[in-house]
Amino acid sequence: MPEPYENPNEAVAPTGAGGAMDLAAGEARSLTAPERPASPVPGEPGITAPEGTGAPAGPAPGEPGGRPRSLRTDAWHQLRRNPVFLLSALLILFLVLISLWPQLIAGGDPLRCDLERSQEGSAPGHPFGYDTQGCDVYTRTVYGARASLTVGICATVGAALLGGLLGGAAGFFGGWWDALLSRIADVFFGIPVVLGGLVFLSVVTSDTVWPVVGFIVLLGWPQVARIARGSVLTAKEHDYVQAARALGAGPGRTLLRHVAPNAVAPVIVVATIALGTYIALEATLSFLGVGLRPPTVSWGIDISNAAPQIRNAPHMLLWPAGALSVTVLAFIMLGDAVRDALDPKLA
């Protein structure tokens, strides 16, 4: 009679015992065997398999076939490979740098003028020529980026915050608050932008940028509010929001933790595109004489001063108008790229 095995897990089925006994013995050995660290399979990056076997354990997160990326991660993954986004982002970064430190590329004083050089063309050290007052057009063009970007960025942030908060609250709570906000927004939508600027800014005597910023925020928040309201109405009907409510989450926690993070993408896209529009609006109001006023250096002011002399000295109009057009185009291109990356239907 054979001696019994000291370790029952090491027992094997007698010869000819059948497939069931062999399967049971193999299962016992696999349960008691120590777990060995996984090692990568040669030639398959991000895929691991147990040592001694050829079966892959599965792809790593982020690899094709692995765990899907989040919306923000996937959006950034697309933006990094979008040449339109890279070009517009680099251009905007350059504009921000020269608006903060214009001395990096322009060493002159934009308010220093020489009437003897009035309307002269390009000269050594002054590649863009001189304007009617004899000021250096190149220096004024560089310094003009500061006022335009300040108005555009501040107005965009203000309109996005005000419109996003009011529109998000109206879409989430509904009821009389939603109806009241919708009627107020309709009133502001009916105000012509240029006519409203002529009426509102003509009574303001401040030489700073804040009256222009306030006016743009006043007329810009309804558009953002409407987008935020629609996005929140869509997000709050999703299953994860209903599950959070069923588990006892209050309205504030549901709005901040579940609805707002998934409804903010359209607001970001609209705000990014609107930034370029607000810069163009500031230049329009300054051209009409109700926006920024001297001694503030602005592209709109320079375009207004150069318009009567467009036949005699076209360079006075060409450079500030070109800088304004490139800036507006850069922000619109950036907004389009962000929209394509954040919209899953366009992926």
Side-chain angles (χ1 to χ4, degrees):
M1 179 177 180
E3 296 182 0
Y5 288 90
E6 296 181 0
N7 187 354
N9 293 326
E10 296 179 357
V12 295
T15 305
M21 295 294 292
D22 294 338
L23 181 62
E27 184 69 18
R29 286 193 297 269
S30 65
L31 293 175
T32 57
E35 185 177 356
R36 296 179 179 179
S39 59
V41 178
E44 294 291 336
I47 301 179
T48 57
E51 185 178 353
T53 65
E63 296 290 338
R67 186 175 60 184
R69 295 184 293 261
S70 65
L71 176 61
R72 295 178 181 85
T73 305
D74 187 65
W76 175 241
H77 179 77
Q78 295 186 32
L79 288 174
R80 288 184 303 172
R81 289 159 176 77
N82 189 344
V84 175
F85 170 78
L86 296 178
L87 177 62
S88 58
L90 290 176
L91 183 57
I92 291 173
L93 179 61
F94 172 74
L95 292 171
V96 171
L97 288 177
I98 66 173
S99 65
L100 294 176
W101 301 284
Q103 301 84 0
L104 294 176
I105 61 173
D109 185 358
L111 301 179
R112 183 179 179 180
C113 305
D114 185 3
L115 286 175
E116 295 181 357
R117 294 182 174 272
S118 176
Q119 299 184 14
E120 288 186 5
S122 177
H126 306 276
F128 294 174
Y130 298 87
D131 62 7
T132 305
Q133 301 297 325
C135 301
D136 184 19
V137 176
Y138 172 77
T139 304
R140 291 186 63 85
T141 301
V142 173
Y143 276 80
R146 174 179 296 178
S148 298
L149 289 182
T150 300
V151 171
I153 293 175
C154 292
T156 301
V157 172
L161 290 178
L162 181 60
L165 291 176
L166 295 179
F172 185 78
F173 295 104
W176 66 269
W177 172 250
D178 186 14
L180 177 62
L181 181 69
S182 298
R183 300 294 76 79
I184 295 176
D186 291 339
V187 172
F188 281 94
F189 273 119
I191 300 176
V193 176
V194 177
L195 179 60
L198 290 173
V199 174
F200 179 82
L201 295 175
S202 61
V203 299
V204 179
T205 58
S206 176
D207 295 334
T208 63
V209 300
W210 302 117
V212 180
V213 171
F215 168 74
I216 296 177
V217 171
L218 185 64
L219 293 187
W221 72 266
Q223 179 186 10
V224 180
R226 179 169 292 184
I227 298 297
R229 175 183 176 274
S231 183
V232 169
L233 285 175
T234 302
K236 75 175 186 178
E237 299 299 330
H238 290 166
D239 293 339
Y240 56 83
V241 177
Q242 304 299 329
R245 289 175 173 173
L247 293 175
R253 180 180 178 85
T254 303
L255 177 61
L256 297 177
R257 294 292 300 274
H258 302 285
V259 176
N262 294 280
V264 72
V267 177
I268 295 176
V269 173
V270 171
T272 306
I273 298 177
L275 201 157
T277 305
Y278 294 159
I279 293 177
L281 178 58
E282 176 273 321
T284 302
L285 296 174
S286 299
F287 178 84
L288 296 175
V290 295
L292 302 181
R293 296 180 174 89
T296 304
V297 181
S298 168
W299 291 332
I301 295 175
D302 290 348
I303 294 174
S304 178
N305 295 333
Q309 308 296 332
I310 186 173
R311 292 186 176 181
N312 299 327
H315 65 275
M316 294 171 47
L317 179 64
L318 176 62
W319 297 110
L324 174 64
S325 301
V326 170
T327 303
V328 174
L329 179 62
F331 280 104
I332 292 178
M333 291 169 55
L334 180 69
D336 289 340
V338 173
R339 178 199 59 193
D340 296 342
L342 293 179
D343 192 348
K345 297 187 294 294
L346 300 177

